[in-house]
C-alpha cells in the first residue's frame, strides 16, 4: 500500500507536484487528554488499567499480571517508573529475558485473557455518550477543520522557520492526510471527523476547492532568504521576511483524510496488538523463536501496509506518543526518511519536565537510530525536526479539543 496519487481527474486545478502527503501518528496521550477534557475520573493509562485489574480481582496466576505486580512493588518508591504503555511492553521483553524455562502456551493464553480484560476496561470507562459529546464538541468548535488547516500556527518563530512545508503549500494544493491512530479507542476519530457542518466536499458551484489552508496563521516572522555580507564573507544575523506569507495568507485548496488503527480496536479484542518491535530485543537468544506472537510489526504487517509511504511523505507529525523502543519500526523508518528524502517532522511534545527542543529531538533520534550517526546526520535531523512544546493548559490550533475554551 502507498499514498493514492491524485490528479486533475479527481481535482480540477490540481497540478503535478501539488499533492502534499502528511503522515500523522497519534498515541495514548491523546486519549488521556480527551478523558481529562470530558472530566472523567478515569484514564486509558497503564497505571489505571493495573488498578482496574486489581479492583476486578483479576486472575493472580496470569503471568502478565504477576509481572505487572512485581514491577509495581519494585518501583513503588519511584512513581515515574513503569508508567507508560511502552514500559509495559518492555516488561514483556523482560519476561522473555528471565532465566529458566518459558511456558509459551500459558503466556499466549494469559495474553489473550489480558486482551479481553483490556477491552472490557475500555468499554467501561469510554461510553457511547462520551464519544457523542466529543463528536458534538468537535462540530461546534470545528476542531477537525482547524487541525487540518491551521496546525502550523502551533509553531513558534524558531520552529516555524525550520520547516520548508509552509513554503511548499500553494493555492490548489492537495493536503493528503494519512492518520495512524495507535490507540484502540475511537476518541481521536471523533474529534478529527470532518462532519457535514465543518466540511463540504464540493461547496462551490463553479469551483471544486474545499478548504482555505493557512500556512502562517500566527504571523510568524519567516525566512525568505538569509542576508549575506559579501564584504565580510559571512551571513548577517537576521533574514528577509517573506511579505506574502503572513496571518492573512490563505490558499484555496483540497483536503483528503484517512484514519486507520494499526494496532487494532477495542471492540475487537483479539485485534488489539501489544508486544514489542523485534526479536533482537530479546537478549536470551534461545527464546527468540518463541516471540512471534508478540511482534507488533509482524502481525500489523507493517512492511506490506506502510513501508511504501515513507519515501513519499512530505511531513510527519507525532502527537501523544511516548517514543518507546516497542515501536522502533516506526521511528527508524521516519528517521531514515528524514535523512534520505525531503521529508520533515513535527513533534508535539507533552512537556511537564521543561525539556528543551534539542533534548526532545535527541530523544527521538535515540529511539529510532539503527546505528551511530555522524555529526552531519545529527545536525541535518535537528534542522528538519520542529517541536511544539505543550501541556494541559496550552491553547493549540490542532488536535486539542479545549483550544477555544
Amino acid at each position: 500500500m502507498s499514498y493514492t496519487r491524485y490528479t486533475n481527474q479527481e481535482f480540477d486545478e490540481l497540478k503535478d507536484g501539488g499533492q502534499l502527503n502528511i503522515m500523522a501518528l497519534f498515541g495514548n496521550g491523546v486519549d488521556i487528554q480527551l478523558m481529562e477534557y470530558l472530566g472523567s475520573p478515569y484514564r486509558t493509562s497503564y497505571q489505571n488499567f493495573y488498578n482496574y485489574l486489581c479492583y476486578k480481582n483479576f486472575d493472580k496466576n496470569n503471568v502478565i499480571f504477576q509481572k505487572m505486580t512485581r514491577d509495581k512493588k519494585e518501583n513503588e518508591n519511584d512513581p515515574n517508573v513503569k508508567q507508560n504503555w511502552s514500559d509495559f511492553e518492555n516488561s514483556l521483553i523482560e519476561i522473555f529475558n528471565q532465566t529458566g524455562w518459558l511456558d509459551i502456551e500459558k503466556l499466549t493464553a494469559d495474553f489473550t485473557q489480558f486482551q479481553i480484560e483490556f477491552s472490557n476496561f475500555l468499554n467501561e470507562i469510554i461510553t457511547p455518550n462520551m464519544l457523542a459529546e466529543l463528536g458534538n464538541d468537535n462540530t461546534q468548535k470545528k476542531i477537525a477543520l482547524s487541525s487540518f488547516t491551521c496546525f502550523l500556527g502551533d509553531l513558534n518563530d524558531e520552529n516555524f522557520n525550520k520547516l520548508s512545508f509552509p513554503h511548499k503549500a500553494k493555492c490548489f494544493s492537495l493536503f493528503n492526510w494519512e492518520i495512524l491512530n495507535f490507540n484502540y479507542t475511537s476518541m481521536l476519530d471523533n474529534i478529527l471527523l470532518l462532519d457535514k457542518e465543518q466540511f463540504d466536499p464540493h461547496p462551490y458551484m463553479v469551483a471544486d476547492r474545499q478548504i482555505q489552508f493557512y500556512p502562517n496563521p500566527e504571523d510568524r516572522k519567516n525566512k525568505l532568504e538569509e542576508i549575506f555580507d559579501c564584504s565580510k564573507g559571512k551571513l548577517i544575523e537576521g533574514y528577509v521576511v517573506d511579505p506574502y506569507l503572513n496571518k492573512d495568507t490563505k490558499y484555496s485548496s483540497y483536503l483528503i483524510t484517512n484514519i486507520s488503527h494499526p494496532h487494532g480496536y477495542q471492540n475487537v479484542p483479539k485485534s488489539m496488538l501489544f508486544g514489542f518491535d523485534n526479536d533482537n530485543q530479546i537478549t536470551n537468544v534461545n527464546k527468540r523463536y518463541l516471540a512471534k506472537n508478540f511482534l507488533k510489526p509482524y502481525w500489523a504487517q507493517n512492511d506490506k501496509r506502510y513501508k511504501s509511504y515513507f519515501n513519499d511523505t512530505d511531513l510527519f507529525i507525532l502527537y501523544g506518543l511516548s517514543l518507546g523502543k516497542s515501536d522502533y519500526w516506526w521511528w527508524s523508518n521516519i528517521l531514515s526518511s528524514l535523512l534520505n528524502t525531503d521529508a520533515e517532522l513535527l513533534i508535539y511534545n507533552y512537556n511537564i519536565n521543561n525539556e528543551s527542543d534539542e533534548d526532545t529531538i535527541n530523544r527521538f533520534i535515540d529511539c529510532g537510530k539503527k546505528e551511530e550517526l555522524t555529526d552531519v546526520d545529527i545536525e541535518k535531523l535537528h534542522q528538519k525536526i520542529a517541536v511544539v512544546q505543550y501541556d494541559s493548559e496550552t491553547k493549540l490550533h490542532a488536535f486539542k479539543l479545549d483550544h477555544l475554551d
Side-chain angles (χ1 to χ4, degrees):
M1 295 175 64
S2 59
Y3 292 107
T4 299
R5 179 59 60 181
Y6 296 94
T7 69
N8 56 14
Q9 288 187 319
E10 292 86 19
F11 300 103
D12 291 348
E13 299 294 337
L14 182 61
K15 298 177 175 60
D16 287 344
Q19 179 170 324
L20 297 173
N21 295 319
I22 302 167
M23 181 189 285
L25 294 76
F26 293 87
N28 189 52
V30 177
D31 279 7
I32 292 174
Q33 172 185 299
L34 292 174
M35 297 290 280
E36 179 180 326
Y37 169 81
L38 291 168
S40 170
Y42 307 108
R43 299 291 182 266
T44 56
S45 66
Y46 170 62
Q47 183 60 49
N48 270 240
F49 179 52
Y50 175 76
N51 293 339
Y52 169 86
L53 293 176
C54 293
Y55 172 74
K56 288 288 186 177
N57 197 25
F58 189 64
D59 181 7
K60 292 181 173 57
N61 292 317
N62 184 290
V63 174
I64 297 171
F65 183 61
Q66 289 176 348
K67 174 61 174 164
M68 295 171 76
T69 302
R70 287 198 303 273
D71 288 342
K72 176 74 173 173
K73 290 180 179 178
E74 290 172 3
N75 299 294
E76 59 186 353
N77 294 324
D78 189 347
N80 294 317
V81 175
K82 299 284 186 180
Q83 290 295 304
N84 297 316
W85 280 108
S86 59
D87 296 321
F88 162 72
E89 291 171 319
N90 288 335
S91 293
L92 288 176
I93 298 174
E94 291 169 9
I95 290 175
F96 278 86
N97 285 332
Q98 291 172 164
T99 57
W101 179 66
L102 177 64
D103 187 341
I104 193 64
E105 290 186 5
K106 175 170 172 50
L107 179 61
T108 302
D110 287 353
F111 185 74
T112 299
Q113 185 185 19
F114 180 91
Q115 282 178 306
I116 293 170
E117 203 57 54
F118 187 62
S119 176
N120 292 336
F121 165 68
L122 293 177
N123 286 327
E124 283 197 26
I125 68 171
I126 301 171
T127 66
N129 284 340
M130 293 166 67
L131 296 176
E133 182 178 345
L134 290 175
N136 289 336
D137 287 1
N138 167 31
T139 298
Q140 180 185 350
K141 300 178 182 181
K142 293 182 169 53
I143 298 301
L145 192 60
S146 175
S147 296
F148 297 131
T149 62
C150 297
F151 69 93
L152 291 171
D154 292 335
L155 294 157
N156 62 21
D157 282 29
E158 178 182 355
N159 283 283
F160 184 88
N161 279 293
K162 278 188 174 184
L163 299 181
S164 62
F165 189 87
H167 301 275
K168 287 183 178 180
K170 305 293 181 185
C171 278
F172 314 138
S173 290
L174 166 62
F175 297 91
N176 183 39
W177 287 72
E178 187 66 29
I179 300 164
L180 303 177
N181 185 356
F182 288 93
N183 299 312
Y184 312 104
T185 77
S186 60
M187 288 197 288
L188 174 70
D189 308 48
N190 276 272
I191 70 162
L192 292 185
L193 175 68
L194 287 164
D195 54 84
K196 295 176 183 178
E197 286 79 5
Q198 291 184 76
F199 179 76
D200 186 334
H202 204 307
Y204 308 114
M205 293 289 291
V206 296
D208 70 335
R209 267 80 73 200
Q210 303 158 319
I211 60 168
Q212 299 290 339
F213 182 81
Y214 297 85
N216 189 10
E218 290 296 326
D219 214 20
R220 303 301 184 197
K221 292 181 179 179
N222 53 92
K223 190 183 298 184
L224 178 63
E225 59 180 297
E226 293 175 310
I227 305 171
F228 191 81
D229 188 333
C230 295
S231 63
K232 296 182 179 178
K234 65 178 183 179
L235 291 171
I236 300 174
E237 209 164 297
Y239 44 80
V240 176
V241 172
D242 184 347
Y244 302 107
L245 193 63
N246 54 50
K247 63 180 176 59
D248 298 318
T249 306
K250 55 186 178 182
Y251 298 137
S252 185
S253 308
Y254 304 108
L255 176 64
I256 288 285
T257 66
N258 180 59
I259 302 177
S260 60
H261 289 249
H263 291 167
Y265 298 88
Q266 72 182 83
N267 293 323
V268 188
K270 295 198 77 172
S271 75
M272 296 192 301
L273 298 178
F274 297 93
F276 40 94
D277 185 83
N278 61 82
D279 58 10
N280 289 327
Q281 293 174 305
I282 300 173
T283 55
N284 189 331
V285 294
N286 294 322
K287 294 181 180 178
R288 286 179 180 172
Y289 76 98
L290 299 172
K292 181 177 176 179
N293 280 336
F294 301 89
L295 300 179
K296 290 192 294 184
Y298 176 84
W299 293 107
Q301 299 186 74
N302 284 1
D303 282 337
K304 294 180 177 65
R305 292 179 182 272
Y306 306 108
K307 183 79 169 180
S308 59
Y309 284 87
F310 289 90
N311 285 337
D312 295 322
T313 299
D314 294 282
L315 181 67
F316 296 97
I317 298 176
L318 307 183
Y319 191 106
L321 290 149
S322 57
L323 300 181
K325 287 288 187 182
S326 60
D327 288 312
Y328 168 79
W329 186 92
W330 295 94
W331 318 143
S332 64
N333 277 288
I334 292 174
L335 206 62
S336 177
S337 184
L338 294 174
L339 288 171
N340 298 301
T341 75
D342 292 332
E344 297 172 312
L345 169 62
L346 170 54
I347 301 175
Y348 281 81
N349 182 48
Y350 188 78
N351 192 352
I352 57 175
N353 298 315
N354 293 319
E355 185 177 59
S356 68
D357 291 355
E358 182 178 9
D359 286 342
T360 300
I361 295 170
N362 286 333
R363 186 158 54 85
F364 170 76
I365 293 172
D366 287 341
C367 283
K369 65 182 180 182
K370 297 178 181 178
E371 55 194 24
E372 287 303 313
L373 299 172
T374 67
D375 290 343
V376 173
D377 287 337
I378 292 173
E379 175 64 22
K380 181 178 182 179
L381 290 169
H382 275 265
Q383 292 303 315
K384 297 185 75 176
I385 301 175
V387 180
V388 173
Q389 305 285 6
Y390 75 102
D391 58 27
S392 59
E393 302 300 318
T394 307
K395 305 301 180 185
L396 297 175
H397 287 273
F399 318 126
K400 198 164 185 284
L401 193 51
D402 56 355
H403 84 285
L404 293 180
D405 288 350

